[in-house]
Amino acid sequence: VQLQASGGGWVQPGGSLRLSCVASGNITSINDMSWYRQAPGKRRELVAIITSGGRTNYVDSVKDRFTISRDNAKNTMHLQMNSLKPEDTAVYYCNAVLVVTTPYPGEYDYWGQGTLVTVSS
């Protein structure tokens, strides 16, 4: 079972990027999915979260600029980031609470490997 994040890169201020996160393996279901980010020298922070039912919540600094979504049929989550600012520069991590069957049946918290987003001119 793993989470694979992708979509990071370099973009100029005001630009857009779309991050994706795919969960794979012996997954029965996925509960909350979320994106975190960690900028150099700073603590990791929660950026956005989406429940299995589609309810969303965002950190104030990205409201009205970022949109989190998920496709339950494809075990996939996205983060559409618009109007990017230099302060959005960070490594972005996806996180999900997965109900799995192996190695031990249960509900576990998984992290993706991180994808770097750089916003600069």
Side-chain angles (χ1 to χ4, degrees):
V1 178
Q2 64 176 355
L3 293 180
Q4 182 73 35
S6 62
W10 173 83
V11 64
Q12 292 185 331
S16 299
L17 282 175
R18 187 178 191 235
L19 305 183
S20 298
C21 178
V22 180
S24 61
N26 291 317
I27 300 168
T28 300
S29 62
I30 304 177
N31 294 331
D32 291 352
M33 302 184 79
S34 53
W35 288 98
Y36 286 73
R37 66 185 179 187
Q38 187 166 19
K42 295 188 176 181
R43 298 176 64 178
R44 189 174 297 189
E45 69 168 347
L46 176 63
V47 176
I49 187 169
I50 185 166
T51 68
S52 58
R55 289 182 297 168
T56 61
N57 203 4
Y58 301 88
V59 66
D60 285 346
S61 60
V62 308
K63 283 182 179 178
D64 300 323
R65 298 190 298 121
F66 291 10
T67 302
I68 190 171
S69 62
R70 62 191 285 171
D71 184 336
N72 291 330
K74 297 181 179 180
N75 289 346
T76 301
M77 169 180 64
H78 302 288
L79 185 68
Q80 178 65 43
M81 305 185 295
N82 299 327
S83 302
L84 282 160
K85 304 175 181 180
E87 51 264 43
D88 294 318
T89 295
V91 177
Y92 284 71
Y93 298 90
C94 60
N95 174 270
V97 179
L98 307 180
V99 179
V100 303
T101 56
T102 60
Y104 302 103
E107 184 179 88
Y108 300 94
D109 194 58
Y110 284 85
W111 289 88
Q113 84 284 11
T115 184
L116 177 63
V117 172
T118 303
V119 185
S120 70
S121 53

